[in-house]
């Protein structure tokens, strides 16, 4: 599909279980197009770039933009836009009204929604969805972004066990293999990547970012991910979880379990008295910590089985969610006695579908 000069505008879409991620490549020079093409391109362009919010829930993440990229012989800027997949029908209306089909022969798409919405795109927008596998896109996306982001993309937390000294540091990911990818989206997929072409999905769990948001909405009445994270940042999970010290009165030394370790997530909620004094903030924090720790322990087991030491955590669950990133960094380091390293990416990439670039470039 992506030959030397693919038709413009260039889009890639990842239609996930919760969020749709749209990548738009803005060519630096519109003058090389003929008049009619240029007009349609500019209508689409003005709409996308003239706004940072679209409708009620579409957002352009300006801080993620990548300038001076060369894609299929053209130079330009990559923009990152996201909206809830539940709003797909409104997006389809928009694509119709802006005449997306007037120029593009199709849109590269990945994620389950590429299958689910294929027919409606063809019928309503007259656009073909060129489908790519989401795990392939994820890995290509990671490597593209790491290689072409002029600023450091990959990072880790130094001193993850010390809240005072814990510090975000750049990580050189130029020789990445082997590594584990833990993709925390609505659910979780774990991939062992041994080379550019050799990877497998080694595990996964249905307890993921969607579970956190769903449970948090149920327990606290919150409505958005941002609200859930804000509540969690003000809560204390110790009011909800039973710790080792709540059961032993202190440490369980024989097995090196400190009194502070969670013994039973949500264990205090057996007691009516504790339920009556728990706050929405505490419940949000405990939900976040429970889901994060569970993902962390599955990731650790996979790393051990696969004999891999670097674990890259990606996915929109980590968006604006430093609590989980630090918790994962801490858990990887502590429970492996320092042998595992948790890595993160500035673009949280998920599959931000860069396949239209990657088929040519990477
Ligand atoms: P998917 O492709 O399955 O939709 P993502 O990597 O996009 O996966 O991550 C979705 C998860 O990201 C949600 O389940 C939620 O935990 C979190 N999230 C982050 N920002 C938002 C948001 N604005 N709206 C909904 N969920 C969000």
């Amino acid at each position: 599909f992506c030959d030397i000069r693919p038709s413009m505008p260039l889009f890639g879409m990842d239609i996930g279980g919760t969020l749709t991620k749209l990548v738009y490549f803005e060519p630096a020079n519109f003058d090389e197009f003929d008049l009619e093409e240029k007009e349609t391109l500019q209508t689409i362009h003005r709409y996308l770039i003239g706004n940072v919010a679209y409708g009620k829930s579409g957002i352009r993440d300006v801080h993620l933009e990548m300038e001076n990229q060369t894609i299929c012989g053209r130079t330009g800027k990559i923009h990152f836009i996201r909206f809830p997949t539940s709003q797909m029908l409104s997006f389809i209306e928009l694509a119709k009204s802006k005449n997306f089909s007037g120029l593009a022969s199709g849109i590269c798409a990945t994620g389950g929604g590429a299958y689910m919405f294929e027919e409606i795109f063809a019928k309503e927008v007259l656009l073909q969805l060129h489908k790519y596998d989401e795990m392939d896109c994820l890995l290509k996306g990671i490597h593209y972004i790491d290689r072409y982001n002029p600023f450091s993309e990959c990072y880790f937390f130094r001193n993850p066990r010390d809240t005072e000294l814990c510090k975000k540091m750049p990580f050189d990911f130029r020789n990445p293999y082997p590594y584990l990818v833990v993709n925390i989206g609505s659910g979780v997929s774990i991939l062992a990547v041994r080379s550019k072409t050799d990877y497998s999905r080694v595990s996964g769990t249905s307890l993921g970012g969607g579970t956190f948001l769903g449970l948090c909405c149920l327990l606290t009445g919150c409505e958005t991910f941002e609200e859930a994270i804000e509540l969690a940042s003000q809560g204390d999970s110790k009011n909800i979880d039973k710790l080792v010290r709540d059961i032993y009165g202190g440490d369980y030394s024989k097995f090196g379990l400190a009194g502070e370790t969670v013994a039973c997530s949500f264990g205090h909620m057996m007691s009516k008295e504790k339920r009556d004094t728990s706050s929405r903030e505490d419940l949000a924090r405990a939900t976040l910590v429970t889901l994060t720790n569970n993902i962390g322990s599955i990731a650790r087991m996979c790393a051990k089985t696969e004999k891999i030491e670097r674990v890259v955590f990606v996915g929109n669950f980590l968006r604006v969610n430093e609590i989980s990133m630090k918790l994962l960094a801490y858990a990887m380091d502590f429970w492996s006695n320092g042998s595992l390293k948790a890595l993160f990416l500035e673009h949280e990439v998920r599959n931000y579908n860069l396949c239209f670039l990657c088929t040519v470039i990477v």
Side-chain angles (χ1 to χ4, degrees):
F1 168 69
C2 192
D3 50 18
I4 304 300
R5 286 240 148 169
S7 58
M8 289 280 159
L10 216 41
F11 286 112
M13 241 198 321
D14 169 15
I15 313 175
T18 309
L19 292 173
T20 294
K21 283 72 67 181
L22 180 71
V23 175
Y24 163 59
F25 177 70
E26 171 197 351
N29 185 2
F30 282 93
D31 291 335
E32 55 189 74
F33 301 97
D34 70 37
L35 210 61
E36 199 185 332
E37 258 186 340
K38 194 169 149 183
E39 218 164 87
T40 314
L41 268 177
Q42 282 182 330
T43 309
I44 296 171
H45 177 75
R46 268 196 297 270
Y47 175 73
L48 290 180
I49 304 310
N51 297 288
V52 289
Y54 314 92
K56 283 202 189 97
S57 48
I59 302 280
R60 181 157 57 86
D61 284 314
V62 179
H63 68 285
L64 297 180
E65 269 173 26
M66 288 171 78
E67 291 194 61
N68 282 327
Q69 302 294 310
T70 303
I71 310 296
C72 309
R74 285 197 171 93
T75 306
K77 201 191 264 185
I78 301 176
H79 298 276
F80 297 89
I81 295 164
R82 64 184 150 85
F83 60 88
T85 302
S86 56
Q87 296 300 309
M88 185 53 85
L89 294 184
S90 311
F91 177 75
I92 286 173
E93 280 308 311
L94 173 78
K96 258 163 66 173
S97 74
K98 302 285 171 199
N99 190 24
F100 273 35
S101 64
L103 289 167
S105 65
I107 297 187
C108 291
T110 191
Y115 294 83
M116 186 131 100
F117 295 103
E118 186 178 15
E119 211 178 295
I120 187 162
F121 260 90
K123 214 163 107 194
E124 297 289 328
V125 199
L126 308 178
L127 270 182
Q128 200 190 335
L129 295 186
H130 299 279
K131 299 190 291 302
Y132 287 79
D133 176 74
E134 61 178 299
M135 300 305 163
D136 287 346
C137 291
L138 170 61
L139 298 183
K140 285 181 171 170
I142 289 175
H143 290 288
Y144 180 88
I145 287 197
D146 184 62
R147 184 163 152 198
Y148 293 102
N149 184 352
F151 309 103
S152 180
E153 177 67 37
C154 189
Y155 62 92
F156 70 103
F157 289 97
R158 178 177 283 165
N159 302 316
R161 295 190 210 178
D162 187 326
T163 30
E164 299 277 294
L165 293 176
C166 181
K167 194 169 174 233
K168 185 175 157 183
M169 301 294 292
F171 183 83
D172 184 348
F173 199 56
R174 273 175 299 182
N175 292 312
Y177 307 111
Y179 67 96
L180 213 64
V181 183
V182 181
N183 183 24
I184 320 176
S186 310
V188 181
S189 277
I190 303 183
L191 312 178
V193 190
R194 298 186 188 279
S195 78
K196 198 167 159 179
T197 48
D198 177 13
Y199 81 86
S200 55
R201 184 180 185 279
V202 291
S203 190
T205 167
S206 63
L207 304 183
T211 319
F212 161 66
L213 189 51
L215 286 177
C216 215
C217 291
L218 271 176
L219 291 170
T220 71
C222 73
E223 303 260 342
T224 64
F225 181 75
E226 285 76 5
E227 203 187 331
I229 295 291
E230 178 56 31
L231 282 172
S233 71
Q234 289 165 31
D236 184 351
S237 53
K238 289 199 279 299
N239 297 330
I240 308 293
D241 295 337
K242 248 185 200 178
L243 308 184
V244 166
R245 68 156 191 246
D246 296 321
I247 301 169
Y248 275 77
D251 301 342
Y252 181 11
S253 322
K254 185 177 173 194
F255 292 107
L257 292 174
E260 288 287 298
T261 312
V262 181
C264 173
S265 301
F266 281 78
H268 279 320
M269 297 299 91
M270 295 180 234
S271 138
K272 177 167 175 4
E273 197 190 324
K274 292 268 188 193
R275 280 200 301 277
D276 290 346
T277 52
S278 68
S279 70
R280 293 168 74 223
E281 288 80 3
D282 294 343
L283 286 164
R285 180 66 163 234
T287 312
L288 190 65
V289 169
T290 300
L291 264 304
T292 305
N293 279 339
N294 186 54
I295 294 165
S297 40
I298 296 172
R300 252 184 317 108
M301 283 189 284
C302 291
K304 195 170 173 194
T305 315
E306 299 297 322
K307 300 187 174 48
I308 291 179
E309 290 181 347
R310 279 180 282 189
V311 185
V312 184
F313 291 94
V314 295
N316 276 314
F317 171 66
L318 298 177
R319 238 196 87 239
V320 295
N321 184 5
E322 201 168 271
I323 299 174
S324 291
M325 287 195 273
K326 288 192 168 165
L327 207 53
L328 288 167
Y330 172 92
M332 289 291 120
D333 188 69
F334 181 82
W335 294 106
S336 72
N337 281 324
S339 70
L340 290 181
K341 192 169 212 90
L343 300 173
F344 304 92
L345 299 169
E346 295 291 350
H347 283 77
E348 299 113 3
V349 270
R350 173 47 169 138
N351 313 0
Y352 257 135
N353 180 6
L354 292 160
C355 56
F356 68 96
L357 327 173
C358 303
T359 42
V360 180
I361 292 171
V362 177

